[in-house]
Amino acid sequence: MNTHSISHPPAKGHGAKQQQALQDPNWVRWSLIAIALGFITLFICLPLGLVIYQALSKGIEAYWTALTQADTLAAIRLTLLVAIVTVPLNTLFGITAAWAITRFEFKGKSFLTTLIDLPFSVSPVISGFIFVLLFGAEGWFGKLLATYDIKIIFSAPGIILATLFVTFPFVARQLIPLMQEMGHQEEEAALSLGASGWKTFYSVTLPNIKWALLYGVLLCNARAMGEFGAVSVVSGHIRGLTNTLPLNVEVNYNDYDVVGAFASASILAGLAIVTLVLKTLLEWKQTSR
Amino acid sequence: MSHKSVMPGFRPTIGLTVLYLGLVVLIPLSTLVFESFKLSWDDYVHIITSKRVLSSFQVSFFAALIAAAVASVFGFITAWVLVRYSFFGKNIFHALIDLPFALPTAVAGIVLATIFQPSGFLGRLLNEFFGLQIAFKPIGIVIALIFISIPFVVRTVEPVLLEFESAMEEAGASLGATRLQVFTKIIFPNISPALLTGFALAFARGVGEYGSVIFIAGNIPYVSEIVPLLIVIKLEQYDIQGATAIALTMLVISFLLLLIINLLQFWVRKRSGQL
Amino acid sequence: MSIILSDISKNFGSFAALHNINLEVPEGELVALLGPSGCGKTTLLRIIAGLEHTDQGSVIINGENKTSQNVSQRGIGFVFQHYALFRHMTVFENVAFGLRVKPRHTRPSNEIIKKKVHALLDLVQLDWLHDRYPDQLSGGQRQRIALARALAVEPSVLLLDEPFGALDASVRKDLRLWLRNLHHDLNVTSIFVTHDQEEAMEVASQVVVLNHGHIEQQGSPSEIYDNPTNAFVSRFIGQTNVFDLDEHDNEWLRNVGIINANSTGRIAHVRPHDILIEKSESHQDATATLKDWQHLGALIRLELVKNDHHASKSLFAEMPKEQFKALALKIGDVVKLKIRHAHWFH
Ligand SMILES: Nc1ncnc2c1ncn2[C@@H]1O[C@H](COP(=O)(O)OP(=O)(O)OP(=O)(O)O)[C@@H](O)[C@H]1O
Ligand SMILES: [Mg+2]
């Protein structure tokens, strides 16, 4: 990251006063850095370090045992399943929505864009609750589902639906501003050279949006694997069956199984760190283009 | 709908978008609205004005407000430092800002609770030196929400600060302004809409936050019980009506906040000449 | 291939960008679409290309009605104002793109594609850049690559939107000549957009002057210059002195020979080089005073003010440098004017 404040030429004579007005005094500079770093250390570095510390507090062996418990393994499997279903669906949606919104003019376009962002502003608990209202035992389709013996709430489909809702906007939100800014000239050039719509998308649009797309997928995946509130409402917390990793963290924590809770938490923290590393790499890729 | 573009794929993409949006978002959300029609107005008022519900709204709003304000101050400083200065390890700090986005809220919740509980690392220190207890008190909620709020503020302010034209500062300086004057009269007025947006985003998120709060809050009715938790409790007691009434109120508030945020962002873009 | 546009209209919302455009471009011509900014040049070009739909009228290329045909089927070559090169592809791949996206049964083999692309790159004299990316090229190079890319599909017509718009003056001059020669060699029917009248006159075999969404005049450069059909064209093409009978002293106009036996209309346009100047000794018959003069290369431009009580606008005359020297004029000298030729409009 470039800062403009460091590259000023040395000040001289009359310029010195102007230079003072352009640069923060050293004491301000250092105290601001200290405040910022202190704040970030307290609120971000410390919690991150603590996950690892707590997970290993009873030794590596206890950690490993906690990780390989049947319930934890089941939670990992369910979490992966949820991500495998929701991320591709929302990616596909994100691409089509971004194409429709950025490549055409139509009435209600900005309204549609706002609607796509809607799930971000809904409390996670409500995001789960609405699916209980739809598919719960007392819900709209509760009776119907019961007669066919289909379980949605308190089972994987409910968890997947709630996660779909929560992670709905991630990909679209990354792509829309980028594709807006890109304009359509390159695509028009491809079309004028005889390329079909698919070919144009595949060989001209996609290469230009791929990093932003990956970025969106990454964030979508992190949220899909880590969502707690919405999933907690629809899951029923059945150990070994409907607990995702975040729910497993909660269940263990409430049972005073600190190592168990932090063992699961450490996987999620690892996921978060991987996400951040990839995210930083992708940001570099995007800006270096 | 009018489309007169040579770009291919309008019908399938708009069709799929609207269909998927409807199935995944709009229909589920609308059930909340339809469900609430089962309530009479009196029932609704009765539920919402019960003391426990009102206190929970109070707790949620105040905590979110204070947290967003604190995060705005420190987030602004952080963004400033990250954009304007260079120092050792800056890139790592820069990447870490997004941790609250990436770390599942349940993990954040148990970690913060562990740090701030009376026997925890910071909890003990604060207790010994200041006689201050944070966990299981409303202030614990604030702490959790500050954690959640940081990236909203930093990530909203940062791009504006980055694009801020140093020529404006130079013009101010050439006209004889001091550094403080340049900051208060030139930089801050240009950044403040973004800061306000960051504040609003953080606030909106804080009001609805659940996972990171419930572990540290203690969840004492009337004192440190947040609205989302109350919805869950009502649901666990099979009080669908109560849950619906509270959830609908929350939803309406969220939409109002969304509207305000959109207006703010519109204003930011307009001021920065992007419209 | 010939292009016929009949009765084309295009609205953006309530704004009429083009109305009732009728235009015929014979095979092999190099036509310039000329007009002030916002007059609809790009819009018209995009309609011919099929990048924009018409509200009304038809586009006929080589006798085939192409109005409702998709841009990817029209077989035109389009060079975009800002080139629109594919940023993620090398120069070679950019030029090869049109060949690679052909349906399998008409797609040339890799060998042929390679030969063809290199031939095209040779044609635009940039084969040595074939493995560079677009952002490693200069503006002029990008422009030529964009042209090579459009030519790769052997288009029936070539459309260029302000091909030299983003380049600096000297590069423009070079490329103009180059485009003219290239067109001469390839002989593909071409239309290019420009708002630079000099460029249009220099490069094109036919010039179409557009204003406010309709065609003001069409013809060869000399036709348009020598016989503008209306005041707009006359003023837009080259420098012109404007004399309005309502504003000017008719006596003075008659004296300098603007008004004569066959003058019709109310407004006279006089080209700077149609004003002849003689040095005048007596103030009696003098008709103007030299206010200032400037070098325009081989020509000298003289700024003159009329010698009557209305201190009116300056008029401009041009003469070769040698002649100016011979006259030995100084600022403030009084001169006698003789107008050789004027265009009259209503
Ligand atoms: N997509 C659009 N929506 C609305 N108005 C448009 C659109 N495209 C062009 N216009 C309007 O149509 C008119 C003609 O535009 P066009 O781009 O054809 O002008 P031009 O002659 O190419 O100008 P320039 O020389 O500046 O490129 C302009 O007034 C423009 O504002
Ligand atoms: Mg144009």
Side-chain angles (χ1 to χ4, degrees):
Chain A
M1 198 119 315
N2 270 322
T3 54
H4 12 281
S5 53
I6 17 178
S7 55
H8 288 298
K12 245 193 227 160
H14 177 64
K17 186 166 170 250
Q18 282 188 13
Q19 217 55 41
Q20 272 170 17
L22 288 174
Q23 272 181 335
D24 302 327
N26 267 339
W27 66 270
V28 172
R29 176 180 293 245
W30 289 115
S31 23
L32 287 183
I33 291 181
I35 293 173
L37 293 196
F39 180 71
I40 299 302
T41 308
L42 176 66
F43 275 93
I44 288 180
C45 302
L46 189 63
L48 197 57
L50 190 100
V51 177
I52 297 153
Y53 172 79
Q54 286 285 352
L56 298 174
S57 61
K58 298 241 165 67
I60 283 270
E61 238 158 80
Y63 174 74
W64 187 247
T65 323
L67 265 192
T68 48
Q69 268 174 6
D71 291 352
T72 311
L73 291 179
I76 293 175
R77 272 197 295 276
L78 181 59
T79 305
L80 288 177
L81 173 73
V82 170
I84 284 168
V85 178
T86 55
V87 175
L89 276 177
N90 280 338
T91 304
L92 185 68
F93 161 76
I95 294 171
T96 46
W99 184 268
I101 284 173
T102 60
R103 293 300 177 254
F104 304 97
E105 290 301 326
F106 53 91
K107 281 209 193 78
K109 182 159 125 168
S110 54
F111 184 59
L112 185 64
T113 316
T114 315
L115 285 183
I116 288 174
D117 269 351
L118 213 54
F120 275 161
S121 53
V122 175
S123 171
V125 168
I126 296 178
S127 313
F129 178 51
I130 52 180
F131 289 98
V132 175
L133 284 180
L134 266 179
F135 302 115
E138 304 286 306
W140 293 21
F141 300 109
K143 289 239 166 57
L144 190 70
L145 291 172
T147 51
Y148 292 101
D149 207 22
I150 303 170
K151 246 177 118 72
I152 289 184
I153 299 305
F154 301 154
S155 86
I159 295 174
I160 288 171
L161 280 175
T163 310
L164 263 187
F165 179 94
V166 170
T167 58
F168 179 80
F170 278 98
V171 176
R173 191 177 238 223
Q174 287 302 322
L175 295 186
I176 289 171
L178 177 74
M179 286 173 65
Q180 204 107 53
E181 190 195 338
M182 249 168 57
H184 349 151
Q185 281 236 323
E186 284 184 43
E187 283 144 11
E188 285 181 351
L191 289 172
S192 80
L193 291 168
S196 66
W198 275 115
K199 186 77 199 174
T200 301
F201 172 77
Y202 183 76
S203 57
V204 175
T205 316
L206 202 56
N208 280 321
I209 61 170
K210 64 178 176 218
W211 299 124
L213 182 64
L214 271 179
Y215 193 98
V217 169
L218 189 70
L219 297 183
C220 182
N221 179 63
R223 185 72 189 267
M225 289 189 168
E227 176 53 28
F228 176 72
V231 170
S232 151
V233 173
V234 294
S235 113
H237 296 88
I238 309 164
R239 276 173 179 254
L241 273 183
T242 64
N243 272 354
T244 59
L245 264 180
L247 296 179
N248 202 45
V249 170
E250 182 198 19
V251 170
N252 284 335
Y253 185 80
N254 288 342
D255 288 350
Y256 302 101
D257 176 4
V258 174
V259 174
F262 278 96
S264 294
S266 72
I267 302 177
L268 291 169
L271 172 74
I273 289 170
V274 170
T275 303
L276 287 187
V277 170
L278 289 178
K279 185 172 177 294
T280 311
L281 288 181
L282 284 178
E283 274 169 355
W284 281 343
K285 281 271 182 207
Q286 262 175 306
T287 47
S288 69
R289 259 181 49 82
Chain B
M1 298 232 164
S2 66
H3 85 103
K4 280 267 178 88
S5 169
V6 294
M7 285 285 162
F10 179 69
R11 272 155 209 275
T13 53
I14 194 78
L16 200 64
T17 302
V18 171
L19 177 75
Y20 190 76
L21 180 77
L23 285 180
V24 175
V25 176
L26 298 182
I27 292 176
L29 261 184
S30 64
T31 53
L32 187 56
V33 179
F34 288 119
E35 188 72 20
S36 68
F37 291 160
K38 291 185 187 162
L39 287 166
S40 72
W41 177 249
D42 290 338
D43 287 343
Y44 174 77
V45 173
H46 181 73
I47 295 169
I48 290 301
T49 54
S50 78
K51 191 149 177 289
R52 188 166 174 187
V53 175
L54 282 182
S55 333
S56 72
F57 270 104
Q58 216 164 18
V59 169
S60 278
F61 275 96
F62 275 110
L65 206 60
I66 297 169
V70 173
S72 295
V73 173
F74 287 98
F76 180 70
I77 294 176
T78 306
W80 179 270
V81 165
L82 287 177
V83 171
R84 294 286 175 119
Y85 307 152
S86 57
F87 51 88
F88 181 73
K90 176 167 141 169
N91 286 337
I92 294 177
F93 275 99
H94 191 260
L96 279 175
I97 297 294
D98 282 326
L99 185 75
F101 280 159
L103 194 68
T105 52
V107 178
I110 65 164
V111 170
L112 291 172
T114 308
I115 296 178
F116 287 100
Q117 72 195 9
S119 62
F121 171 59
L122 279 176
R124 209 170 48 223
L125 282 177
L126 289 171
N127 211 352
E128 269 173 30
F129 290 102
F130 305 102
L132 192 70
Q133 192 191 331
I134 284 184
F136 317 133
K137 296 248 163 148
I139 189 173
I141 304 174
V142 174
I143 295 286
L145 292 184
I146 291 175
F147 174 80
I148 294 298
S149 303
I150 295 167
F152 285 100
V153 179
V154 178
R155 291 297 182 231
T156 322
V157 173
E158 197 183 11
V160 184
L161 215 46
L162 261 179
E163 280 184 13
F164 184 78
E165 269 187 86
S166 51
M168 267 201 273
E169 277 174 71
E170 285 165 4
S174 72
L175 295 169
T178 64
R179 182 64 188 154
L180 192 63
Q181 283 170 327
V182 167
F183 179 79
T184 54
K185 289 191 195 302
I186 297 171
I187 301 174
F188 193 74
N190 278 289
I191 305 297
S192 54
L195 188 60
L196 201 57
T197 309
F199 172 86
L201 284 170
F203 177 70
R205 173 72 194 268
V207 170
E209 178 56 26
Y210 176 71
S212 60
V213 174
I214 52 166
F215 297 99
I216 198 174
N219 308 327
I220 308 153
Y222 307 106
V223 179
S224 60
E225 190 175 61
I226 53 168
V227 182
L229 179 65
L230 197 56
I231 297 175
V232 173
I233 291 174
K234 296 266 181 202
L235 205 54
E236 279 169 356
Q237 296 166 343
Y238 299 104
D239 179 6
I240 300 278
Q241 295 212 323
T244 305
I246 303 171
L248 185 73
T249 314
M250 275 284 281
L251 196 67
V252 171
I253 293 171
S254 313
F255 287 173
L256 287 179
L257 285 172
L258 181 68
L259 188 71
I260 293 173
I261 290 167
N262 274 335
L263 289 177
L264 270 173
Q265 280 171 341
F266 179 75
W267 182 46
V268 171
R269 261 178 289 151
K270 204 165 144 184
R271 285 198 45 149
S272 65
Q274 286 175 38
L275 278 179
Chain C
M1 320 257 156
S2 66
I3 304 171
I4 298 171
L5 305 179
S6 70
D7 224 13
I8 289 199
S9 294
K10 172 76 183 174
N11 298 309
F12 291 111
S14 60
F15 174 77
L18 295 173
H19 25 123
N20 303 86
I21 298 280
N22 285 293
L23 180 65
E24 218 180 310
V25 178
E27 180 162 359
E29 295 280 332
L30 175 55
V31 174
L33 272 183
L34 177 65
S37 187
C39 70
K41 306 181 294 287
T42 299
T43 308
L44 186 58
L45 204 68
R46 288 170 61 86
I47 284 176
I48 301 171
L51 288 165
E52 203 90 60
H53 295 292
T54 55
D55 294 343
Q56 183 202 310
S58 47
V59 178
I60 296 157
I61 297 176
N62 203 28
E64 264 178 80
N65 191 334
K66 302 256 183 184
T67 317
S68 52
Q69 200 178 36
N70 208 301
V71 51
S72 45
Q73 266 103 58
R74 277 198 198 184
I76 46 89
F78 199 99
V79 178
F80 292 79
Q81 184 165 3
H82 297 284
Y83 324 131
L85 291 177
F86 305 128
R87 278 168 288 182
H88 59 290
M89 294 180 194
T90 59
V91 163
F92 181 92
E93 285 304 321
N94 261 285
V95 178
F97 184 87
L99 300 171
R100 293 207 198 282
V101 297
K102 280 188 191 252
R104 198 173 295 278
H105 57 277
T106 53
R107 191 186 309 160
S109 71
N110 267 336
E111 281 302 298
I112 297 177
I113 289 181
K114 206 167 161 184
K115 265 204 356 233
K116 210 165 161 183
V117 171
H118 283 300
L120 277 163
L121 287 173
D122 275 333
L123 182 71
V124 299
Q125 299 150 6
L126 288 178
D127 196 29
W128 55 286
L129 292 173
H130 66 94
D131 55 356
R132 295 251 195 115
Y133 284 89
D135 55 8
Q136 300 167 321
L137 303 180
S138 74
Q141 290 166 342
R142 278 179 217 177
Q143 177 56 55
R144 284 187 277 166
I145 298 301
L147 193 62
R149 184 178 70 177
L151 289 173
V153 289
E154 293 175 9
S156 52
V157 278
L158 187 61
L159 307 171
L160 307 102
D161 190 1
E162 305 220 12
F164 314 124
L167 304 172
D168 63 47
S170 70
V171 183
R172 282 174 88 119
K173 279 233 156 70
D174 289 348
L175 281 181
R176 275 183 206 167
L177 207 67
W178 177 79
L179 178 65
R180 217 192 136 101
N181 292 337
L182 190 76
H183 178 260
H184 186 82
D185 295 345
L186 298 175
N187 208 32
V188 52
T189 313
S190 310
I191 301 183
F192 78 99
V193 160
T194 178
H195 54 229
D196 179 344
Q197 48 97 9
E198 207 179 303
E199 189 167 290
M201 307 299 272
E202 190 177 326
V203 180
S205 57
Q206 288 274 312
V207 177
V208 176
V209 183
L210 221 59
N211 187 28
H212 288 312
H214 65 91
I215 294 179
E216 297 278 3
Q217 191 175 358
Q218 177 188 3
S220 70
S222 58
E223 262 177 307
I224 293 217
Y225 190 83
D226 295 334
N227 295 309
T229 52
N230 59 43
F232 172 81
V233 175
S234 160
R235 209 165 340 178
F236 195 71
I237 308 287
Q239 278 255 342
T240 285
N241 294 296
V242 179
F243 300 97
D244 192 328
L245 289 198
D246 295 346
E247 286 170 20
H248 283 272
D249 185 351
N250 285 5
E251 172 92 24
W252 187 86
L253 294 177
R254 209 160 285 138
N255 265 345
V256 296
I258 294 180
I259 299 183
N260 55 29
N262 50 18
S263 52
T264 52
R266 196 171 57 76
I267 298 172
H269 284 198
V270 178
R271 301 278 186 207
H273 52 77
D274 282 332
I275 301 181
L276 300 178
I277 289 175
E278 286 162 27
K279 200 162 180 174
S280 168
E281 297 307 330
S282 75
H283 275 246
Q284 231 46 14
D285 58 347
T287 41
T289 309
L290 182 63
K291 189 178 164 202
D292 201 359
W293 57 271
Q294 293 109 30
H295 266 290
L296 303 178
L299 289 179
I300 298 291
R301 181 164 66 189
L302 298 91
E303 188 178 350
L304 304 156
V305 279
K306 268 172 13 185
N307 274 352
D308 57 6
H309 348 283
H310 325 281
S312 51
K313 277 186 306 191
S314 303
L315 43 139
F316 293 94
E318 281 171 12
M319 64 172 67
K321 204 150 103 188
E322 292 70 29
Q323 192 186 339
F324 183 70
K325 263 194 193 132
L327 282 174
L329 284 172
K330 296 188 305 296
I331 290 175
D333 281 356
V334 285
V335 294
K336 202 171 150 180
L337 304 184
K338 189 79 199 141
I339 306 287
R340 208 162 23 178
H341 180 75
H343 291 292
W344 284 93
F345 304 107
H346 290 279

